[in-house]
Amino acid sequence: MHELTVTESILAIALEHAQKAKASRVTEINLLIGNLSSIIDDSISFYWEIISKDTICAQSTLHFTRIPGHLQCNNCANEYDLVDELIPCPKCNSSNVTILRGNEFRVDSIEVIQDE
Amino acid sequence: MSQTIHINVIENILGANDQIAIKNASLLKANGVMTFNIMASPGAGKTSFILKIIEKLSDKYRIGVIEGDTSAATIDADKISKLGLPAVQINTGGDCHLDANMLRSGLDNLDLKSLDLVLVENVGNLVCPAAFKLGTYKNILVASIPEGDDKPYKYPAMYSAVDALIINKIDLLPYVPFNMDYFISGVKMLNPDLVSFPISCKTGEGMDEWVKWVTSVHVDFRSS
């Protein structure tokens, strides 16, 4: 059910920016989702079709850019990407780390059509 | 003539929720009500923990409770009402989490002026509640020993989003495999400054340390 709320928020943000730009149609929505943030499943695309149907976002495409977790070790300064689950520094095994990327959860940009 | 243009948005998807959360926080501050958003998986002991807080602190603070539930079952809210404390149930209508707007409607049903502490029991879930800020003063996660020691690794967003961690059911440590070092190592990676309280709601062990923490954050809240 979480996905419907998220999809509605994406639509509201896209419409607001499209209207500001006096766009007649929105064609692409680019999302940035960090792998450490809440998992979003395919149902977002499913909901998107339904809730955007009667808006200028109808038939637009959602693009999900996934950002892998990227950590820095505070002990040896090594930087590393997470492949699957959270792991300590692969160099020195320290758990004293800072998460640099992976918590993103945002609308990055949209492509719109403006009629002259 | 029509042209395609690219618009940079860079906006948090749940930004609208966050705005309402900020309003909730100022409403609560204005009324002098400290709030905890208590999150956990189903069965970790959220309700038992809340009952324990009431037992330990109801002579010190005037406490109210907001219960988030996915169904209309009022089992949890009834337990609180029996104690004679104001309790409000929010039925999320199937939603897997409380959001800031739902909390607002819950707060509207409490007499905030007559309360010092409101405990908000979120829906049992380690995924969704982490993404929705409510505007509560502190976010609390109740983990429990039988869930296993791998939960920080599987639910990083939840462990990153909280201010205090309760490790409940420590009376079960002799009976279930649970590597505390592995568990704490995952927690530290996600949230280095997270303060944690190993407790047992059943035996009462560890509750005194927790009560001390509540008292000290209440002083911070009053002077903030």
Side-chain angles (χ1 to χ4, degrees):
Chain A
M1 295 302 283
H2 180 177
E3 284 75 13
L4 177 57
T5 313
V6 167
T7 316
E8 286 167 344
S9 301
I10 295 169
L11 181 63
I13 292 170
L15 289 177
E16 186 200 327
H17 285 267
Q19 276 151 12
K20 254 191 239 160
K22 298 189 169 46
S24 60
R25 209 153 71 76
V26 177
T27 56
E28 325 282 331
I29 321 272
N30 299 307
L31 307 171
L32 281 185
I33 312 290
N35 281 348
L36 292 168
S37 76
S38 299
I39 307 299
I40 290 191
D41 62 37
D42 292 341
S43 58
I44 291 212
S45 302
F46 168 78
Y47 284 128
W48 182 254
E49 242 175 70
I50 298 168
I51 69 167
S52 67
K53 203 173 58 189
D54 299 320
T55 74
I56 56 169
C57 290
Q59 280 159 25
S60 60
T61 311
L62 292 177
H63 301 278
F64 295 87
T65 301
R66 285 278 182 177
I67 301 172
H70 184 78
L71 278 62
Q72 180 167 43
C73 175
N74 297 324
N75 183 43
C76 74
N78 176 40
E79 286 191 25
Y80 59 103
D81 279 331
L82 296 176
V83 181
D84 293 314
E85 69 172 25
L86 186 66
I87 52 163
C89 174
K91 257 194 178 164
C92 73
N93 206 34
S94 170
S95 303
N96 179 6
V97 294
T98 304
I99 298 169
L100 299 180
R101 289 195 292 278
N103 285 321
E104 297 78 1
F105 195 65
R106 60 177 192 254
V107 180
D108 191 55
S109 61
I110 58 176
E111 307 272 335
V112 303
I113 293 176
Q114 280 178 331
D115 291 325
E116 294 283 302
Chain B
M1 265 290 283
S2 69
Q3 56 170 348
T4 300
I5 62 164
H6 179 93
I7 303 173
N8 284 322
V9 176
I10 316 179
E11 221 174 278
N12 190 323
I13 292 175
L14 295 174
N17 179 73
D18 296 350
Q19 291 305 314
I20 301 171
I22 290 168
K23 285 186 192 151
N24 287 345
S26 9
L27 172 76
L28 290 159
K29 181 69 204 147
N31 283 281
V33 181
M34 180 166 81
T35 42
F36 293 159
N37 172 17
I38 300 175
M39 298 176 279
S41 64
K46 288 184 300 298
T47 310
S48 306
F49 181 56
I50 286 171
L51 292 171
K52 209 74 192 165
I53 298 175
I54 292 169
E55 181 194 316
K56 295 276 179 187
L57 286 168
S58 59
D59 53 348
K60 198 172 165 93
Y61 305 120
R62 296 167 297 168
I63 302 176
V65 177
I66 293 179
E67 289 284 343
D69 265 299
T70 55
S71 73
T74 57
I75 302 165
D76 291 345
D78 290 347
K79 286 181 192 161
I80 312 296
S81 300
K82 254 188 209 159
L83 300 172
L85 297 184
V88 173
Q89 164 138 349
I90 304 176
N91 180 355
T92 66
D95 261 6
C96 50
H97 58 273
L98 290 177
D99 64 29
N101 208 25
M102 291 180 207
L103 179 67
R104 178 57 205 250
S105 68
L107 294 174
D108 286 345
N109 285 299
L110 283 174
D111 178 19
L112 295 179
K113 283 268 174 252
S114 69
L115 294 170
D116 304 306
L117 174 64
V118 170
L119 306 169
V120 182
E121 179 171 349
N122 214 312
V123 177
N125 180 338
L126 287 180
V127 183
C128 314
F132 292 84
K133 293 192 184 93
L134 301 182
T136 47
Y137 186 59
K138 296 287 180 194
N139 292 316
I140 317 287
L141 172 61
V142 181
S144 67
I145 299 300
E147 286 167 45
D149 50 24
D150 59 355
K151 291 300 164 287
Y153 302 87
K154 290 192 169 166
Y155 302 96
M158 175 57 80
Y159 279 83
S160 305
V162 293
D163 305 299
L165 171 66
I166 306 301
I167 308 170
N168 190 21
K169 307 190 191 183
I170 51 165
D171 50 304
L172 294 179
L173 271 172
Y175 311 107
V176 288
F178 187 97
N179 183 335
M180 190 61 86
D181 290 341
Y182 177 65
F183 177 79
I184 293 293
S185 167
V187 172
K188 289 281 171 216
M189 282 191 272
L190 296 163
N191 200 334
D193 300 324
L194 185 60
V195 49
S196 60
F197 301 92
I199 67 157
S200 165
C201 287
K202 195 176 168 200
T203 67
E205 191 183 347
M207 281 303 289
D208 291 347
E209 285 305 306
W210 160 256
V211 163
K212 261 186 227 160
W213 186 80
V214 175
T215 313
S216 82
V217 295
H218 189 252
V219 172
D220 297 344
F221 173 74
R222 297 296 300 198
S223 59
S224 66

